[in-house]
Amino acid sequence: MPNTEKPALKVLYDGSCPLCQIEINHLQNLANKDINSPLRFIDISQNNIENICYLNDRMALLQRFHVEFDDGSRLSGARAFAQMWLYLPGWRYLGLLAKLPGMIFILEVLYRFFLLIRPGLQTIIRVFKVNKSR
């Protein structure tokens, strides 16, 4: 019988971003529903020994969403999201849809638009968190 297990996939995220924290928390909860989930979430904003291999290109990694395979190859942006979706229970259909002709292009355009508004969204979340804690 062929091995159908997915290779490990590292999700490289910016843990200093409040928007990313919310999203990654949700994704980790989804991944935890699969006991054998090969997803590993790595907060590359932290200065620790685990992240030393990301030190040289940390700034580039923090600017866009990335996933990394065990062989060191990476995907970024829409391709990274589409790959990760294939690993998440309930989201796999989105990863399959992303494989349709032209979909990655459309998703990448949407992702780049999101990157433009991301700083504003981060500010809103930070303000909301400060006001909520008062």
Side-chain angles (χ1 to χ4, degrees):
M1 180 181 285
N3 183 358
T4 59
E5 290 184 23
K6 291 182 179 98
L9 188 67
K10 297 174 193 168
V11 176
L12 310 177
Y13 70 96
D14 181 359
S16 67
C17 164
L19 189 61
C20 303
Q21 290 170 3
I22 293 167
E23 182 179 7
I24 292 298
N25 184 46
H26 174 69
L27 296 172
Q28 284 178 315
N29 287 335
L30 288 173
N32 289 339
K33 290 180 180 181
D34 179 356
I35 295 170
N36 298 315
S37 176
L39 289 176
R40 292 182 28 221
F41 294 86
I42 299 174
D43 178 0
I44 57 171
S45 70
Q46 300 297 311
N47 289 323
N48 57 37
I49 194 71
E50 181 181 316
N51 293 342
I52 197 109
C53 61
Y54 303 111
L55 193 58
N56 289 338
D57 51 353
R58 177 182 286 168
M59 292 312 294
L61 291 172
L62 291 172
Q63 290 176 0
R64 287 176 58 88
F65 180 72
H66 290 79
V67 296
E68 181 179 86
F69 293 97
D70 278 344
D71 66 2
S73 62
R74 293 182 186 148
L75 300 173
S76 73
R79 290 185 190 283
F81 277 103
Q83 184 66 40
M84 181 185 62
W85 293 335
L86 292 170
Y87 286 67
L88 292 169
W91 287 59
R92 290 182 179 112
Y93 69 94
L94 285 175
L96 295 173
L97 283 174
K99 290 183 175 193
L100 293 174
M103 285 304 294
I104 285 295
F105 174 78
I106 293 167
L107 291 170
E108 184 64 27
V109 168
L110 293 172
Y111 180 67
R112 288 180 186 203
F113 173 74
F114 164 77
L115 290 177
L116 294 173
I117 64 170
R118 178 182 172 200
L121 294 173
Q122 289 172 327
T123 301
I124 291 168
I125 291 171
R126 284 186 182 111
V127 168
F128 179 74
K129 282 185 174 184
V130 168
N131 288 336
K132 189 176 178 182
S133 67
R134 288 184 184 174

